[in-house]
Amino acid sequence: MMLIATTVAVALVASTLLAAAPAATTAAIPPMIVYVATAAELSPRLVARLCAETDAIWRPAGVTFAWRRTPRASAGALDAAPSGPFVPDTLRLTIGPDRGGGRDGRLPLGWIVFDDAAAPQQDIYLSHANAVTMLENARGVVGIADQMPPAQRETLLARAMGRALAHELGHYLLASKVHTPHGLMKATLTAVELFAPDASDFRLEPAQRHALAARRPADPLVASR
Ligand SMILES: [Zn+2]
């Protein structure tokens, strides 16, 4: 289950960070900047792999991310929200042990909170603890987690967490807390959907792609005015 407190909105607005984006970026639209703070015990490789999973899900929709690792202590610093009709294109991602407020006994892998329908917070939380519990509970799908080689465990956790992160980013990017029966914005994911190698079901529906395109101006300089 993905917990969404309220609504969301998105923006692409010029910033010095975006202006400094590498020229090799293939997307026409600059990447969203995501500041990543993680619990100390998390392996950097797991974090890199879950970000790669998220990248792969969003790339077909033309959305790219610039992941910026940041110490926990400085994770509070975000670019000031620009004025204008769009919310900032910078987000803060925290990956840690919090378990969130799951309903119906389900475990939220990630969540995003907003001040009100028009004022999204630039924060996504990803629960490593809940991902581990889900893995341990998915014995019938993936086998016994405790007996897996560390690399296999990491592969499975990176998939589930990367897919959950892609979903939460969808709430932000689509400016909507709406869930769909299929695809990336499905509310509840089965163990197979979280842990299987194939992520091709994690797609936006056509109407969502159109909504996203309308929210992402091709020229961020124009959008900032
Ligand atoms: Zn959701």
Side-chain angles (χ1 to χ4, degrees), residues 2 4 167 171 179:
M2 316 296 173
I4 302 305
H167 175 98
H171 283 297
H179 288 120

Side-chain angles (χ1 to χ4, degrees), residues 4-224:
I4 302 305
T6 61
T7 319
V8 284
V10 74
L12 271 186
V13 183
S15 77
T16 52
L17 283 175
L18 292 180
T25 299
T26 53
I29 299 175
M32 293 194 63
I33 311 294
V34 183
Y35 295 96
V36 186
T38 68
E41 70 272 18
L42 280 187
S43 94
R45 204 172 69 159
L46 170 62
V47 175
R49 292 183 70 182
L50 77 86
C51 291
E53 179 79 16
T54 302
D55 283 334
I57 290 169
W58 275 101
R59 198 175 297 119
V63 179
T64 57
F65 304 97
W67 309 101
R68 306 271 169 84
R69 296 296 298 273
T70 176
R72 253 181 116 59
S74 67
L78 268 190
D79 293 345
S83 59
F86 301 105
V87 298
D89 61 346
T90 54
L91 281 174
R92 178 171 39 213
L93 167 65
T94 305
I95 310 173
D98 292 2
R99 290 189 176 271
R103 289 175 297 228
D104 307 328
R106 290 178 292 185
L107 298 173
L109 281 184
W111 53 90
I112 182 168
V113 177
F114 298 84
D115 293 329
D116 62 48
Q121 293 178 7
Q122 297 161 261
D123 278 293
I124 288 175
Y125 194 98
L126 209 50
S127 173
H128 176 252
N130 284 352
V132 168
T133 300
M134 278 188 157
L135 182 66
E136 289 166 351
N137 290 345
R139 172 181 300 216
V141 172
V142 299
I144 301 171
D146 284 348
Q147 297 177 1
M148 289 175 187
Q152 184 186 356
R153 236 177 116 84
E154 183 180 271
T155 296
L156 293 168
L157 288 173
R159 277 182 198 151
M161 295 174 75
R163 291 167 191 181
L165 175 56
H167 175 98
E168 301 307 328
L169 286 164
H171 283 297
Y172 189 85
L173 286 162
L174 293 166
S176 170
K177 62 179 177 179
V178 170
H179 288 120
T180 50
H182 307 286
L184 178 62
M185 299 316 295
K186 226 178 124 177
T188 304
L189 300 174
T190 65
V192 170
E193 289 166 328
L194 282 173
F195 295 116
D198 181 14
S200 59
D201 285 344
F202 288 80
R203 285 184 302 236
L204 292 180
E205 297 186 344
Q208 294 171 325
R209 293 185 73 131
H210 286 128
L212 181 66
R215 290 186 166 279
R216 295 175 61 82
D219 183 352
L221 289 171
V222 171
S224 69

